[in-house]
């Protein structure tokens, strides 16, 4: 049996831009992607702490060090710059894999600088 579990999340990121005229997706700074073990093209859920919106999109690569978190296309209507969001990725695990299960949680400050990376919930 496969069980869908939290794989990784970036917790309380600040939206830096919302670009309605882009094809779609979420742009995430390359350093945040590396810390979270998320990948370009990966499906993620976005949880908007400010307004309660929850929606899915996919990741595109942001410039390293700029700390951009930009929602693009239709997703831009669900956020405002300055909103706090949680970016969540899930994965399917077997019973055997769950014996060593350790999701990655990246905690960021108000400017999307990495404060801490945890390997637990």
């Amino acid at each position: 049996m496969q069980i869908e579990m939290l794989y990784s999340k970036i917790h309380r990121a600040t939206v830096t831009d919302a670009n309605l005229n882009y094809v779609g997706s979420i742009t995430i700074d390359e350093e945040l992607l590396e810390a979270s073990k998320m990948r370009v093209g990966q499906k993620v859920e976005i949880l908007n702490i400010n307004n309660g919106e929850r929606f899915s999109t996919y990741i595109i690569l942001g410039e390293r060090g700029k700390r951009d978190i930009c929602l693009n296309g239709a997703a831009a209507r669900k956020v405002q710059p300055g909103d706090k969001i949680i970016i969540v990725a899930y994965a399917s695990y077997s019973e055997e894999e769950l014996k060593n299960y350790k999701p990655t949680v990246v905690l960021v400050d108000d400017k999307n600088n990495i404060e801490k990376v945890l390997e637990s919930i």
Side-chain angles (χ1 to χ4, degrees), residues 27-96:
T27 303
I28 302 175
D29 178 291
E30 186 175 18
E31 289 178 30
L32 292 172
L33 284 181
E34 288 173 358
S36 67
K37 301 178 186 171
M38 292 182 193
R39 294 165 171 78
V40 171
Q42 184 174 10
K43 179 182 178 180
V44 290
E45 285 192 39
I46 309 302
L47 316 176
N48 188 325
I49 296 167
N50 291 73
N51 65 20
E53 288 279 358
R54 297 174 71 103
F55 56 94
S56 298
T57 190
Y58 63 92
I59 298 169
I60 62 172
L61 184 62
E63 188 176 329
R64 178 178 288 278
K66 285 191 71 178
R67 300 298 184 251
D68 287 338
I69 299 289
C70 178
L71 278 299
N72 303 298
R77 295 217 184 261
K78 298 187 174 282
V79 300
Q80 296 293 318
D83 282 358
K84 294 290 186 185
I85 62 172
I86 303 170
I87 304 163
V88 182
Y90 299 97
S92 294
Y93 296 87
S94 68
E95 293 283 346
E96 187 64 29

Side-chain angles (χ1 to χ4, degrees), residues 35-37 104-107 114-120:
S36 67
K37 301 178 186 171
T104 301
V105 177
V106 178
L107 305 176
I114 298 168
E115 289 188 322
K116 188 181 280 190
V117 178
L118 308 171
E119 288 197 355
S120 65

